Amino acid sequence: MKKHQKVALGLLSTLVLLLTACGGGGDTDDSGGSSGGSANGENTLVVGMDSDLKTLDPAHGYEVYGNMVYYALYDNLYRTYDSSTPEPSLAEEHELDDSQTVHTFKLKKDVKFSSGNKLTSKDVAFSINRTKNLKSNTSHHTENVKSVETPDDQTVVITLNEPDAAFLVKLANNSFAVMDSEVVKEHGGTDAEDAATKDTAEEWLNQNSAGSGAYVLSEWKQNVEVVLDRNEEYWGDVKNDKVICKEIPDVNTQIQNLKQGDIDIALGVGVDNASQLKDQEGVELKNYTGTTTTFLLMNDDPEIGGPMADAKVQEAVRLAINYKELLEICGDKSVLPLNIVPEGFTGALEKETDYMDLDKAKKLMDEAGYKDGFDVKFTVANFDTEGMSWTTIGQKIKDDLSKIGINAKIETSEIGVVIDSYREGKEQFLMMHWHPDYMDINNQLAFLPGETVGERAKWTTDPSDGKISELQKTIETESDEDKRAAASKELQELLDKDMPYAMLVQHPKVLAYRSNLDGVNYYEVQKINFQDVAIK
């Protein structure tokens, strides 16, 4: 007889809504500028950002700021807020069988999409199967899904190929956003196995939404703004009527607009420029240690990477960087992860600030046959991570590498161009950042050989005679967190010796907002939970 784990989630779901709708914000202070978007005569929240949005179809989205919009437009079985603990949203009950592979969910009743259509289990099944069969940037999150069954309108049974310790956390990612299947099909969507070639709904979804979230999409002008209107069919509480996310690439412009009250929240402020807002009347600041990490990718294919594909050169690069100075540049609350596991995740290890060893780095360069060094193209996008310019970090890396004979010739380009080339595995040597899609170490395994980022680095072969793969399997499937932590630490120690990356800094986050807002909090997955923010 099978034993079941069963969690009654209805009461918890209600508590989550109450808790996340509270807190944040400062005292009312209308001095130093107008009251942000509300000055327009509407209950409108205006957010300044510099995003990398390339799509508003959650089944395609894989950008850092994507979930901020997807969480507003769509709902999931689970969500995450200020921790890695998944919290129920559309799910009211959950059962897991003894095999740890069959998840049964009971859905919240009487939920409607913005179209007025009732949300049922068939919409959950359609959404998961569509993401899986699109074979898009986010489809890998659904690869372990063997089947999705719908015994009745309120029941969803998801069977996995193998146990996944992070599955409920993954359900909070946009790849599992629940879409209105009828509406998506009407506009070219399909969940069939040939969806990768037959689905044409993305274009429509870039200008319309088909969700049950707190808002509906009014307009998206890429690189200009996203406009969201309150969803009158939404089942929960919404504290404002409209959200406008304005693309403001220049951080100083964001700061000036916040001071003047032209925007309510500035997402681009970093530790290096937050001083401009210190003691500013009408403005509040909150500091966080984020999970976004900048890293260097060295292409492991000799035909693309050239000398950067040599494991000894890759290690020399890691040893040549002055991490202590890098921390100083990136500011308070910056962290140095040893490699792929950021602080706050299972078994995370940190670098020592004196990790740099130029003598050893030069010896490795000599052993690799590059005693006299070499020139290499170094791709650095015109972009910021949490207010820190990539070109500033890139120049620091260039200076450090020059000390071991590597002449890194910086080539800049717009972020969209660089991301496309990076995803296609065409870059020889570049700087990139990584933000977790979901708050669990399993997300970081994308850096391993043959996985998402590994493929982009053309790193396809396990250099450890299968040990990396063995540790990966333990981390992915083990339910005992102590065993996962031990495997995580062993994996990081292995990677420290051989991987085509140099992990740089886990960046701090500064959240700046007008004092007349209540309920402002920063979350790693969705950034701002718009519906909780009230304009006083």
Side-chain angles (χ1 to χ4, degrees):
M1 181 177 180
K2 290 185 178 180
K3 294 181 180 178
H4 290 80
Q5 295 177 349
K6 184 169 182 178
V7 184
L9 302 177
L11 177 59
L12 179 56
S13 180
T14 303
L15 290 172
V16 166
L17 282 171
L18 291 172
L19 287 171
T20 55
C22 299
D27 295 331
T28 304
D29 186 347
D30 293 327
S31 59
S34 65
S35 55
S38 56
N40 297 325
E42 297 180 82
N43 190 18
T44 300
L45 180 69
V46 184
V47 179
M49 65 182 187
D50 179 18
S51 83
D52 52 354
L53 287 175
K54 295 175 70 67
T55 180
L56 293 190
D57 181 344
H60 282 279
Y62 202 55
E63 288 72 47
V64 171
Y65 277 91
N67 268 314
M68 185 172 73
V69 179
Y70 303 136
Y71 261 48
L73 298 175
Y74 298 90
D75 210 343
N76 293 47
L77 293 176
Y78 283 78
R79 294 186 177 220
T80 55
Y81 294 92
D82 56 358
S83 75
S84 60
T85 303
E87 299 179 355
S89 191
L90 291 176
E92 285 201 325
E93 293 182 4
H94 169 238
E95 293 181 359
L96 179 61
D97 80 338
D98 283 346
S99 73
Q100 304 285 294
T101 60
V102 182
H103 294 261
T104 301
F105 302 92
K106 290 292 184 180
L107 301 180
K108 185 184 295 293
K109 296 179 180 178
D110 301 322
V111 175
K112 291 184 178 181
F113 291 105
S114 58
S115 66
N117 293 335
K118 184 180 178 181
L119 187 153
T120 69
S121 57
K122 71 178 175 59
D123 299 296
V124 178
F126 171 86
S127 302
I128 295 173
N129 288 328
R130 178 172 180 261
T131 297
K132 183 176 182 178
N133 292 324
L134 279 174
K135 296 177 173 54
S136 66
N137 285 313
T138 193
S139 293
H140 63 280
H141 293 315
T142 61
E143 286 176 353
N144 191 29
V145 175
K146 182 178 181 179
S147 65
V148 185
E149 298 171 280
T150 57
D152 59 59
D153 282 354
Q154 298 303 121
T155 306
V156 180
V157 181
I158 302 176
T159 302
L160 306 182
N161 291 306
E162 59 184 15
D164 182 353
F167 186 62
L168 295 187
V169 183
K170 285 182 180 178
L171 289 175
N173 177 260
N174 58 275
S175 52
F176 289 94
V178 179
M179 309 183 78
D180 187 332
S181 58
E182 292 184 25
V183 170
V184 175
K185 287 176 183 177
E186 286 172 5
H187 294 91
T190 177
D191 65 343
E193 290 186 1
D194 60 357
T197 56
K198 295 296 179 66
D199 188 284
T200 59
E202 183 181 11
E203 183 178 356
W204 186 83
L205 289 166
N206 281 339
Q207 293 301 323
N208 305 271
S209 55
S212 61
Y215 301 88
V216 295
L217 178 63
S218 176
E219 183 179 34
W220 178 40
K221 294 180 181 177
Q222 190 172 8
N223 301 320
V224 179
E225 67 179 15
V226 180
V227 181
L228 311 175
D229 290 328
R230 180 173 180 164
N231 176 12
E232 297 301 330
E233 299 286 352
Y234 183 59
W235 57 269
D237 190 21
V238 186
K239 299 294 182 66
N240 52 71
D241 298 326
K242 192 183 194 76
V243 177
I244 302 174
C245 298
K246 292 181 174 292
E247 297 283 4
I248 306 174
D250 182 66
V251 175
N252 291 320
T253 303
Q254 284 193 33
I255 289 172
Q256 189 60 33
N257 286 355
L258 187 66
K259 286 181 177 180
Q260 294 171 177
D262 295 326
I263 61 176
D264 298 301
I265 300 173
L267 289 177
V269 178
V271 293
D272 57 332
N273 43 41
S275 59
Q276 298 180 50
L277 292 168
K278 188 177 181 181
D279 300 323
Q280 171 71 36
E281 288 186 298
V283 173
E284 300 287 337
L285 294 173
K286 287 183 179 180
N287 292 351
Y288 304 82
T289 295
T291 59
T292 303
T293 305
T294 42
F295 67 96
L296 304 177
L297 180 147
M298 297 164 272
N299 202 300
D300 213 46
D301 182 345
E303 292 188 6
I304 302 172
M308 302 307 290
D310 190 302
K312 290 184 177 180
V313 171
Q314 293 168 359
E315 186 175 0
V317 168
R318 289 191 289 274
L319 290 168
I321 297 168
N322 191 322
Y323 295 96
K324 183 177 180 180
E325 292 180 356
L326 201 55
L327 274 182
E328 292 171 355
I329 291 171
C330 293
D332 184 43
K333 290 190 179 290
S334 298
V335 174
L336 295 175
L338 182 60
N339 43 68
I340 69 171
V341 183
E343 180 187 86
F345 282 51
T346 302
L349 299 175
E350 288 187 36
K351 284 190 187 81
E352 298 293 335
T353 54
D354 60 355
Y355 186 93
M356 181 181 71
D357 188 335
L358 289 178
D359 290 338
K360 186 175 180 180
K362 289 175 182 177
K363 183 180 178 182
L364 286 164
M365 289 287 287
D366 191 5
E367 291 174 359
Y370 299 106
K371 182 177 181 180
D372 297 326
F374 55 83
D375 293 349
V376 63
K377 185 184 87 165
F378 181 26
T379 303
V380 180
N382 292 315
F383 199 65
D384 293 347
T385 291
E386 308 300 8
M388 174 54 62
S389 166
W390 286 15
T391 52
T392 298
I393 299 174
Q395 185 60 50
K396 170 61 181 164
I397 300 303
K398 174 182 173 66
D399 293 345
D400 286 348
L401 295 186
S402 69
K403 295 173 184 175
I404 61 169
I406 297 178
N407 179 22
K409 296 183 175 181
I410 295 177
E411 292 192 11
T412 60
S413 186
E414 295 309 307
I415 184 64
V417 175
V418 173
I419 284 178
D420 287 343
S421 182
Y422 153 68
R423 287 176 174 170
E424 293 166 6
K426 295 179 179 179
E427 290 297 332
Q428 180 182 18
F429 179 42
L430 89 157
M431 192 175 93
M432 185 49 63
H433 70 176
W434 177 263
H435 182 82
D437 303 311
Y438 56 91
M439 299 297 288
D440 187 90
I441 185 178
N442 284 5
N443 184 87
Q444 305 306 109
L445 303 179
F447 283 88
L448 298 184
E451 301 298 337
T452 303
V453 184
E455 288 285 352
R456 294 167 184 177
K458 301 300 181 183
W459 194 30
T460 57
T461 304
D462 181 348
S464 64
D465 294 325
K467 189 60 178 178
I468 288 177
S469 298
E470 178 186 325
L471 292 168
Q472 177 180 0
K473 183 81 168 179
T474 298
I475 293 167
E476 287 176 335
T477 63
E478 179 57 61
S479 58
D480 186 320
E481 277 300 301
D482 289 338
K483 292 180 180 179
R484 290 184 89 206
S488 169
K489 291 174 182 177
E490 188 175 352
L491 175 63
Q492 292 167 78
E493 288 164 354
L494 267 178
L495 296 177
D496 192 40
K497 306 301 180 187
D498 194 350
M499 64 177 184
Y501 319 107
M503 309 308 285
L504 300 177
V505 176
Q506 186 176 337
H507 288 261
K509 175 64 189 177
V510 177
L511 181 60
Y513 59 96
R514 297 291 301 176
S515 299
N516 66 315
L517 301 183
D518 267 342
V520 184
N521 288 292
Y522 184 81
Y523 306 105
E524 283 300 320
V525 173
Q526 75 270 35
K527 313 307 182 194
I528 306 296
N529 209 46
F530 296 140
Q531 70 195 67
D532 293 343
V533 181
I535 303 170
K536 297 186 290 184

